[in-house]
Each structure stands twice: as C-alpha cells, then as structure tokens.
Amino acid sequence: MATEGGGKEMNEIKTQFTTREGLYKLLPHSEYSRPNRVPFNSQGSNPVRVSFVNLNDQSGNGDRLCFNVGRELYFYIYKGVRKAADLSKPIDKRIYKGTQPTCHDFNHLTATAESVSLLVGFSAGQVQLIDPIKKETSKLFNEENSCQPLWKVDWNEERQNEGSKTSEEVLVTVRRLIDKSRVTCVKWVPGSESLFLVAHSSGNMYLYNVEHTCGTTAPHYQLLKQGESFAVHTCKSKSTRNPLLKWTVGEGALNEFAFSPDGKFLACVSQDGFLRVFSFDSVELHGTMKSYFGGLLCVCWSPDGKYIVTGGEDDLVTVWSFVDCRVIARGHGHKSWVSVVAFDPYTTSVEESDPMEFSGSDEDFQDLLHFGRDRANSTQSRLSKRNSTDSRPVSVTYRFGSVGQDTQLCLWDLTEDILFPHQPLSRARTHTNVMNATSPPAGSNGNSVTTPGNSVPPPLPRSNSLPHSAVSNAGSKSSVMDGAIASGVSKFATLSLHDRKERHHEKDHKRNHSMGHISSKSSDKLNLVTKTKTDPAKTLGTPLCPRMEDVPLLEPLICKKIAHERLTVLIFLEDCIVTACQEGFICTWGRPGKVGSLSSPGQASSPGGTIV
C-alpha cells in the first residue's frame, strides 16, 4: 500500500497527501460549517450530507452548497478553491422541530439564478420540496396536510398547552400516510423536471410526481411486477395521485440507490447485504451481488456505466461488472464500515499504445484524457476503441474513492491488469497493488460482449449523487410513468474479462472496529448476519459472493485519517475533493495545481477541530 510517512503516528490527522498527479492540500479557509464553527455533538443524529448545484449564472460563481447538521439545514454560495468561505451569510437556514433532515438533492435541470428546486428527506418519513433562493416551501409529501411548513416554530400558546405533544409532533406521528420510516435516500429521476424517487428504512422506494397530490387517505396498491426479492406496485385510485409506484426491495432498510449515468438503470444496496440492479423503465432485475459480510451502505457507478462500486459493513469496497454481472475485485483498506464510495471522473483516464510514466506534476497529468466536462466525448471514444478486438493496446485507469466510520479517506485505482487480465500490461503502472488474484468465480465465461452506439455521459454536476444526465425522452417520461411502464432497454458496452491467475501476496491487516482479518476461512462469521431468504453460507463461493481468494484484492493508493469523527461525504469536483464528517465540517481539498492564494473575508482560519 502506497503510504506517506509510514513511521508517523497512525492517529495523526493529515492535511495533505500525494498521488501520482501531485499534492492534494486541505484548504482551511474553504471549510464550511455552522456559523459558530462549534463541532456538532453527533450522537444520535443523522449523517451529515452535502449536495451541490450550479446555477449557471453570468457571475462565474454559480456553485451552491446545501448541507444538514442535526436539525439544521444550510444553503451557501460555494466558493471552492477560489475564495474563502463566508459563514456569516447563508442564503437560507432552516431549523426543524420534531424531525431531522437526512438527505437532499437538487434538480439540476430546472436550476436558475432566481430559483432552484431542492428535495429534502426527513427522519420521520416526510419529503419536502423547497426553494432556498426564494425561501419558499412548495410542497410536503407523505403528509396529509401537504402545505404545512415544518421549519416554522410559530405555534400559539393555546395549542401548545393542550397536551404534552406539540402540534408539530402530532403532525409527524399521525399524518404520514405512505411510509412512517426514515428517508434514507432521495433523488430526482435523471432527465425529469417533476419525477423523484425516495427510499425508506422500511425497504420501500416510492416514485413521486411533484405535480400530483398524495391524497387524504392511505394509498391502495395493486401488483405490477414481482421477481426474486422484489415487488413493484402501482397506486390504485380513481385519479392519479402519489406515489405513482411502490418498490419493495430485499429485506431490511434500503440504504442507498444510484441511477446509471444514462438514467436507464437503478442500483440499490440494502441492509440484507445485496446489491440489486434494475432496469428503471421496464422494472426488470438486471443482476445481483452479495456482500462478503453484513449490510451494504453505499453505491456508485463508473462514469461510463460499466462498473458499480459498493461499500458496507464488511469494511470492503467491491467492484462489480455491469455487463458480466459479477464481482471483479475487492478493495481492503478501511478498518470500519465504509459509508461513501464515489468515482473521480476527472482522474479516470485512457491512454493509447505505450503511455508515458507519470511524473507526478500537474502539467503532465493534465495531458491525460479525462471523463471531465470538456473531454467526455474523446474519452468515451477511446473506451469504445478498447472494446474493439482490432484496436491498439489501451491503458485504462478508473479512480474512485471511499470514506468510512474509521475517519479514513482511501483512493483506489482500478487498472487494466484487473479489467483486462488477458492483455499484456503497458508501461504505465498503477499504484494500486493486486494482493491476491486467481481465476474468476464459476459462471464467468470470459466472453467479450460489445454493444455499439455507446451514449456519451454528459458533464457531471456537483452533487453527492450521480449526474442528472439529460435524457432525450425527458418530456415523455412523466406521462409514461404515470400510465404504463415504458419498454425498451439499451445495454452498455462491456470489457472482455478472461481467467487469470496471480501469485498470492499474504499481508495482515489489523482491524480495530467491526471485523477481524478477512480470510477464506471466515465463513463462520456469516452466521452472525441477520437472517434473510438467501442463506449467506450458501452464497459464499458463488458468483453472488466469491471467496476472498477468487477475485483480486486491491490495496488503496492512499489511506489517510482526515477527521476526528466518522466521515459521511465524498464528492469529486473538477478542482477539488469535498469531504465532510459527522461533526458538521465540510472540507475542501485542492487538487494539484488548482490551489491559489485565497482571500479571507475576515473570519478565523481555524479548521474547527476537524483537521489539525
């Protein structure tokens, strides 16, 4: 594992780290938090989440930042690496009573300098649609009274003295007609101005339309489609009402979902330890994967939609091939649960023929092709060439990152020696080590499948979720989902994967949180997992859950302790990386060559106890 300062104290919090591109540095002046900068007492509170949106205004400073801390929700101008944060002037601030914000998502299609649509999910099950620029609340979903604002505390004394419960507590506990459990994930449907999807800790997902009401009575459902460990129902009513669809997925909480870059597929991870990938329009199950141990907590797609990475209670990151529907690698670096995984589209690269060695300077790194906004077409074209059997050798490196409850940030490189094990390696070497690689699990035939006409992913918005790509049939999607389920699914191109054997590298990892050293003999620990319909002991050693020695085991490119409290946010932006911890501090890490001299608005430069 490539580390920096290996002899230093392990508990020392890092303020910079080096990769092949160069030096990443923490920018204390660009830290966002509550205005008083006091660390938040996070015990019993929901995870801090961060969402970004760009308003595309002419001032050149259109980035906006939203984050929740406890019962509070903040909306700021995000100045990034250019200028220091001014915490004294939030655009909007809301303090909720009787419930807490748990997640949020901007609609990137409708955002303007004058208005922005922000969905906010809550611990009591509601979903609120607000406009933090206009400081308005449009609608409240999963409530009988859909116009009652939650954040205003202006109740009169007469009603407060009627009983032990305040009127808002009655609103929270009585009138939630659709789902009374915590909202775990909320996202706008890519390409739609009105559809959004909400997941709950009950294991249910609901599709809403902002133009429709939720009704004054509990909804009645009729079965639309059923499969292995999932069922989809439509709302049965005389007039169209919310929710349009109800998904029941797996057992236990549905912890997170993510749309593919083209918006056609939906990846869900649940507390039962399963990744399930669906075709969103046709409601068909595409593939599944089982965690090595415990529940899966987070999921993300590669920028080209070919790979999915998950993280969870097994302390591992798992790379799953979308087309082959199998695990192709696991990453071992965290010492506790993995809370967030995300791909870095600006560092993922493709090189033709005999690529040069990385010098570590930002200038050399900029010569590479990126999945960024300006070079998406060129990179996608080169990936398509890599799928051609007649093309020249191509070096591919996917960069992704992970953060966890162990307060560590890990960066990983997924390289051609893992993706194309049958090809000779090029001279451009990766810093990600393959610790243990043997033949892929049974069921993988290693055949190359190529689908022509790959759609190029659009520019990635600055959000904690996947990009809200423009879909050509965006206008018709609402009507289609309101009536019948649309048909037609286009597949992604795949990469050839053949059997390959590597020499074994034994290396012990001390683990101090949730699990001991993971080995091929740890199947007895699976008996501790909460019982599900699928017996975990029977899935181990199958394509659903290969044994540790059956797939390559990656070590992180870097693994750094960067916070005092568990990390809950990891977002890759063009000029920086954004992380956040449960104390409520949102930190900006400048990329190599992107950090200039910051002008401070006169506030203290102390990092608030998060980074020292």
Side-chain angles (χ1 to χ4, degrees):
M1 179 169 60
T3 57
E4 186 179 67
K8 294 183 179 180
E9 188 69 28
M10 289 297 294
N11 290 329
E12 180 183 354
I13 295 179
K14 306 299 181 182
T15 58
Q16 63 184 33
F17 57 86
T18 303
T19 66
R20 66 169 188 266
E21 311 89 77
L23 182 67
Y24 289 78
K25 296 181 65 176
L26 177 70
L27 307 179
H29 284 287
S30 297
E31 180 183 88
Y32 287 78
S33 67
R34 298 188 297 171
N36 59 15
R37 304 182 69 84
V38 175
F40 176 70
N41 183 3
S42 60
Q43 290 187 354
S45 64
N46 291 284
V48 173
R49 301 295 186 193
V50 174
S51 296
F52 282 96
V53 67
N54 189 285
L55 305 182
N56 297 318
D57 62 0
Q58 297 180 354
S59 67
N61 192 20
D63 292 326
R64 300 294 182 268
L65 167 77
C66 174
F67 62 91
N68 61 288
V69 181
R71 295 182 178 180
E72 303 168 11
L73 188 73
Y74 292 92
F75 185 67
Y76 279 99
I77 295 176
Y78 181 70
K79 301 177 181 179
V81 302
R82 299 181 301 275
K83 194 174 181 181
D86 185 0
L87 301 183
S88 64
K89 298 178 180 179
I91 299 176
D92 194 12
K93 171 187 175 182
R94 306 190 180 210
I95 302 177
Y96 295 88
K97 185 178 179 181
T99 188
Q100 295 184 6
T102 59
C103 51
H104 32 83
D105 190 39
F106 287 105
N107 192 321
H108 299 266
L109 289 180
T110 61
T112 65
E114 294 77 28
S115 176
V116 62
S117 295
L118 176 67
L119 290 170
V120 184
F122 291 91
S123 58
Q126 310 97 326
V127 177
Q128 192 178 43
L129 176 62
I130 65 177
D131 188 332
I133 296 180
K134 295 181 178 179
K135 297 182 173 59
E136 295 177 354
T137 298
S138 301
K139 289 185 178 181
L140 183 63
F141 300 91
N142 194 22
E143 287 287 355
E144 179 182 343
N145 188 348
S146 60
C147 296
Q148 178 63 57
L150 288 181
W151 81 96
K152 290 185 178 179
V153 186
D154 56 355
W155 313 102
N156 58 65
E157 292 183 5
E158 179 180 354
R159 293 198 63 182
Q160 288 181 349
N161 294 331
E162 288 180 356
S164 59
K165 289 185 177 182
T166 67
S167 56
E168 185 156 2
E169 287 172 337
V170 173
L171 181 69
V172 168
T173 58
V174 174
R175 297 180 179 176
R176 286 170 291 122
L177 303 174
I178 297 174
D179 199 306
K180 294 180 172 58
S181 64
R182 177 174 56 94
V183 176
T184 57
C185 188
V186 59
K187 285 186 174 71
W188 292 95
V189 174
S192 175
E193 297 183 359
S194 58
L195 295 177
F196 64 92
L197 195 61
V198 182
H200 289 258
S201 60
S202 62
N204 296 325
M205 284 191 303
Y206 301 90
L207 180 67
Y208 290 84
N209 189 322
V210 296
E211 305 298 332
H212 299 155
T213 62
C214 292
T216 57
T217 60
H220 296 280
Y221 300 102
Q222 61 183 12
L223 184 65
L224 174 68
K225 186 166 293 188
Q226 190 170 13
E228 184 178 355
S229 299
F230 82 96
V232 181
H233 295 78
T234 59
C235 188
K236 186 178 181 181
S237 62
K238 293 182 179 179
S239 59
T240 304
R241 58 163 288 182
N242 284 318
L244 305 179
L245 292 179
K246 174 185 176 182
W247 297 57
T248 301
V249 181
E251 292 189 356
L254 202 163
N255 291 321
E256 190 177 31
F257 64 81
F259 285 99
S260 61
D262 65 357
K264 296 180 180 179
F265 291 88
L266 183 70
C268 306
V269 289
S270 302
Q271 195 59 37
D272 61 7
F274 277 89
L275 161 72
R276 296 176 177 90
V277 183
F278 297 93
S279 169
F280 184 63
D281 287 344
S282 62
V283 200
E284 295 284 352
L285 182 64
H286 172 79
T288 60
M289 183 269 290
K290 176 69 172 63
S291 68
Y292 194 80
F293 178 86
L296 289 177
L297 305 177
C298 50
V299 62
C300 67
W301 291 78
S302 65
D304 56 3
K306 295 178 180 179
Y307 302 99
I308 296 174
V309 171
T310 64
E313 295 175 358
D314 54 10
D315 306 351
L316 301 170
V317 294
T318 303
V319 185
W320 190 78
S321 169
F322 173 81
V323 176
D324 290 341
C325 292
R326 70 179 184 93
V327 176
I328 63 170
R330 289 191 179 105
H332 183 197
H334 286 282
K335 300 174 182 178
S336 186
W337 296 356
V338 180
S339 53
V340 182
V341 289
F343 274 87
D344 182 356
Y346 306 99
T347 310
T348 296
S349 61
V350 180
E351 301 176 67
E352 289 185 0
S353 298
D354 197 16
M356 65 180 178
E357 296 282 353
F358 287 106
S359 66
S361 67
D362 183 58
E363 290 77 10
D364 289 342
F365 179 67
Q366 292 302 323
D367 292 337
L368 297 176
L369 295 178
H370 305 286
F371 278 107
R373 296 171 178 159
D374 300 331
R375 303 195 180 185
N377 292 342
S378 178
T379 308
Q380 183 68 24
S381 174
R382 292 177 183 233
L383 278 174
S384 300
K385 288 182 179 180
R386 181 59 187 82
N387 291 329
S388 172
T389 56
D390 297 329
S391 65
R392 295 177 295 172
V394 173
S395 173
V396 180
T397 301
Y398 292 87
R399 168 70 58 79
F400 66 93
S402 58
V403 295
Q405 294 191 11
D406 57 0
T407 71
Q408 293 193 112
L409 163 68
C410 292
L411 296 181
W412 314 79
D413 276 351
L414 186 62
T415 53
E416 72 275 12
D417 57 337
I418 302 299
L419 301 175
F420 322 120
H422 61 292
Q423 293 285 353
L425 300 183
S426 62
R427 286 200 298 113
R429 291 279 72 83
T430 174
H431 291 259
T432 302
N433 301 323
V434 182
M435 291 180 57
N436 193 352
T438 60
S439 301
S444 171
N445 54 18
N447 292 333
S448 174
V449 180
T450 303
T451 302
N454 292 339
S455 60
V456 178
L460 298 177
R462 297 189 164 193
S463 69
N464 198 30
S465 61
L466 282 168
H468 293 275
S469 51
V471 179
S472 59
N473 61 343
S476 63
K477 207 164 204 177
S478 297
S479 60
V480 171
M481 297 304 292
D482 287 350
I485 300 300
S487 61
V489 177
S490 66
K491 295 182 179 179
F492 294 99
T494 183
L495 302 174
S496 301
L497 292 169
H498 283 227
D499 294 351
R500 180 173 183 256
K501 294 207 172 186
E502 289 278 353
R503 55 193 177 93
H504 292 254
H505 297 273
E506 298 290 339
K507 185 171 183 180
D508 240 353
H509 288 270
K510 294 182 179 180
R511 314 180 57 86
N512 53 18
H513 285 264
S514 63
M515 287 184 64
H517 173 63
I518 297 178
S519 70
S520 60
K521 298 181 180 180
S522 61
S523 60
D524 57 324
K525 294 184 179 180
L526 294 173
N527 297 327
L528 302 177
V529 183
T530 303
K531 291 183 179 180
T532 62
K533 293 182 179 179
T534 303
D535 186 357
K538 294 181 179 179
T539 62
L540 184 63
T542 69
L544 274 179
C545 181
R547 295 183 182 275
M548 295 300 293
E549 66 268 24
D550 289 339
V551 293
L553 186 59
L554 309 177
E555 281 193 340
L557 176 68
I558 64 104
C559 189
K560 302 295 180 183
K561 179 180 175 67
I562 63 170
H564 288 298
E565 289 292 332
R566 66 185 187 270
L567 294 163
T568 59
V569 171
L570 175 62
I571 304 172
F572 292 98
L573 303 181
E574 190 171 11
D575 49 12
C576 61
I577 299 175
V578 176
T579 62
C581 71
Q582 195 56 22
E583 285 183 317
F585 295 103
I586 291 86
C587 298
T588 299
W589 301 77
R591 290 185 186 268
K594 299 293 185 180
V595 181
S597 58
L598 295 178
S599 57
S600 173
Q603 67 184 34
S605 61
S606 168
T610 302
I611 308 295
V612 296

